[in-house]
Amino acid sequence: METFFVNRAEYDRLYNCTGIDASSVGIANLPLGLTYMIFGVLLEILYLPCMVVLWSPSIRQNSCHKIMFLLGFFDMCTIFFNSIVTGYLTIEGAVFCTHPTFIYIAGSLALGLWCCTCVASVSLGINRSIDLWFPQFMKKVFDGKRMYVWYCAPFIYGGLFTWYTRPITYSSYAYAWFFDPYYGIDGLDYDRTEYANIYHSGHNTTTVVTICSLYVFLSISVWWKCRKSHFHTQTVSLLQKQLIFQSCMMCMFILVADFIYVYMQYLPTPTWLIVVGQSTWICCHGGAVAVYLLFNRTIRHGVIELIYPKYFEPSIFIMTTAANFPQSQSSSQRSEISHFFTHQVSVGPECS
């Protein structure tokens, strides 16, 4: 947004809509637009009680839940742009030149929020990895004022992308966001390379490698902890399957969205594949809600208690878990594994 607010002459040169009949370029799509909007509104509604639970005093004491709350904030903000706003623009058949200022600012914010989300996701993976292998260092790294460092990092990183790099702009010609503001408009003589955002391409590549590596590492770590402790109960087996399944799903959404969004900026891409890329981008931010409500005991029980308090029945997981330990294990081994698996099941894969 630096170009828009500081270097206005450069903005007018790069994003000049003079002589362009914007109404004849876009292609309105009511069914797809409604799908984007309804899905986005539904995700926002489902996210709200989860955020209330994460912000409750008893829950937010844990550093993992603090990062999860921050991640949820980024997700909800991004869903507003990549799902709800995108749906409205799709229904209208909008392109950059129909709403140049709004789309430019919205695209800048959406790009920055995507980068914020990625950094927060990496922070969460680091948090879970340290808690798993080096729990004695958790307070030294995440306790007290140190959390401000982990909170500030995503805002600074995403803010740099929002302020200094080229924004994405919407085009209903393909129902997604492009760095080229004139995407789909034929007959214009301009240099498309001026709108390329190599920082975004580098970010997406790094994100795929980092986040997928963290999820794979955590999945292998759970398997190794089970194998090393000879802890083969039905509960752990279920935990392993859930963790691996959720890891694969989250990695798939990130991988597909990152790849398609980079690919379609530079090479001809069929509309159906672009829509898939846009949909997986939405799923990258909305998938956490499904994880929280389906697999996260702490958040799920908190939401049930929040909405239907009289039907909430607390369960004592640690007692049943501890009861299933082989008697041959030492008390220290039982304590270590009990703490880890109780925390993993209660927190879910977003804290994995």
Side-chain angles (χ1 to χ4, degrees):
M1 283 197 289
E2 179 197 28
T3 305
F4 181 83
F5 287 105
V6 179
N7 194 351
R8 192 68 188 191
E10 180 69 0
Y11 172 83
D12 291 337
R13 183 185 72 82
L14 291 171
Y15 299 94
N16 192 340
C17 293
T18 303
I20 297 177
D21 184 8
S23 60
S24 64
V25 177
I27 305 172
N29 191 324
L30 180 61
L32 181 60
L34 284 175
T35 302
Y36 282 155
M37 289 190 72
I38 293 172
F39 191 53
V41 171
L42 178 62
L43 289 174
E44 298 281 31
I45 292 173
L46 291 174
Y47 233 127
L48 278 174
C50 296
M51 294 292 283
V52 172
V53 172
L54 284 171
W55 191 246
S56 60
S58 61
I59 299 297
R60 69 171 185 259
Q61 292 179 359
N62 188 294
S63 61
C64 171
H65 290 140
K66 291 178 182 177
I67 300 176
M68 288 170 65
F69 180 85
L70 180 65
L71 189 56
F73 171 77
F74 291 143
D75 282 338
M76 292 188 71
C77 292
T78 308
I79 289 170
F80 173 76
F81 289 109
N82 72 359
S83 188
I84 298 174
V85 170
T86 300
Y88 169 77
L89 296 175
T90 300
I91 293 172
E92 190 182 82
V95 294
F96 172 75
C97 288
T98 58
H99 311 287
T101 301
F102 174 75
I103 289 179
Y104 184 92
I105 294 176
S108 298
L109 293 173
L111 176 62
L113 286 166
W114 162 248
C115 296
C116 288
T117 303
C118 293
V119 175
S121 298
V122 171
S123 299
L124 191 58
I126 293 173
N127 177 281
R128 294 297 81 216
S129 299
I130 294 177
D131 189 37
L132 173 58
W133 289 103
F134 307 103
Q136 66 274 21
F137 294 121
M138 281 295 291
K139 287 188 176 181
K140 295 181 180 179
V141 179
F142 291 99
D143 195 36
K145 294 183 179 179
R146 297 175 182 85
M147 277 303 302
Y148 289 116
V149 176
W150 296 95
Y151 260 41
C152 290
F155 282 102
I156 294 173
Y157 183 78
L160 291 173
F161 270 83
T162 295
W163 186 253
Y164 289 110
T165 69
R166 298 276 189 247
I168 48 177
T169 57
Y170 182 78
S171 173
S172 61
Y173 184 82
Y175 312 116
W177 297 75
F178 300 84
F179 290 107
D180 181 0
Y182 309 119
Y183 181 87
I185 303 178
D186 298 324
L188 295 181
D189 183 19
Y190 68 102
D191 184 7
R192 285 180 167 82
T193 60
E194 286 195 280
Y195 304 95
N197 191 330
I198 59 173
Y199 302 104
H200 169 264
S201 301
H203 165 83
N204 277 15
T205 302
T206 304
T207 296
V208 168
V209 174
T210 305
I211 293 182
C212 289
S213 297
L214 278 170
Y215 273 109
V216 170
F217 169 75
L218 288 166
S219 297
I220 294 174
S221 296
V222 170
W223 170 81
W224 176 256
K225 285 284 185 178
C226 294
R227 181 176 178 272
K228 184 179 179 182
S229 64
H230 306 292
F231 185 33
H232 300 298
T233 66
Q234 183 179 0
T235 301
V236 174
S237 176
L238 177 61
L239 172 65
Q240 288 177 287
K241 291 177 182 179
Q242 288 181 354
L243 179 60
I244 294 171
F245 171 75
Q246 295 155 41
S247 299
C248 291
M249 289 297 295
M250 297 304 294
C251 288
M252 182 194 72
F253 287 140
I254 293 170
L255 181 62
V256 173
D258 279 2
F259 174 77
I260 293 178
Y261 247 85
V262 171
Y263 180 88
M264 73 187 198
Q265 304 298 330
Y266 302 101
L267 298 171
T269 309
T271 301
W272 68 267
L273 186 58
I274 293 174
V275 172
V276 170
Q278 178 66 29
S279 301
T280 52
W281 181 24
I282 297 172
C283 289
C284 284
H285 298 276
V289 175
V291 169
Y292 292 162
L293 296 177
L294 293 176
F295 302 107
N296 190 305
R297 289 170 58 92
T298 301
I299 296 179
R300 183 173 67 249
H301 286 181
V303 170
I304 294 173
E305 187 177 20
L306 183 68
I307 300 175
Y308 304 110
K310 64 180 180 179
Y311 294 108
F312 178 73
E313 296 182 0
S315 59
I316 306 176
F317 175 74
I318 189 168
M319 291 180 64
T320 59
T321 301
N324 289 324
F325 280 111
Q327 294 298 319
S328 59
Q329 287 186 288
S330 66
S331 59
S332 60
Q333 286 178 311
R334 291 197 298 271
S335 175
E336 175 189 356
I337 304 301
S338 174
H339 167 77
F340 169 66
F341 284 113
T342 301
H343 194 248
Q344 291 298 322
V345 173
S346 67
V347 170
E350 284 297 328
C351 282
S352 311

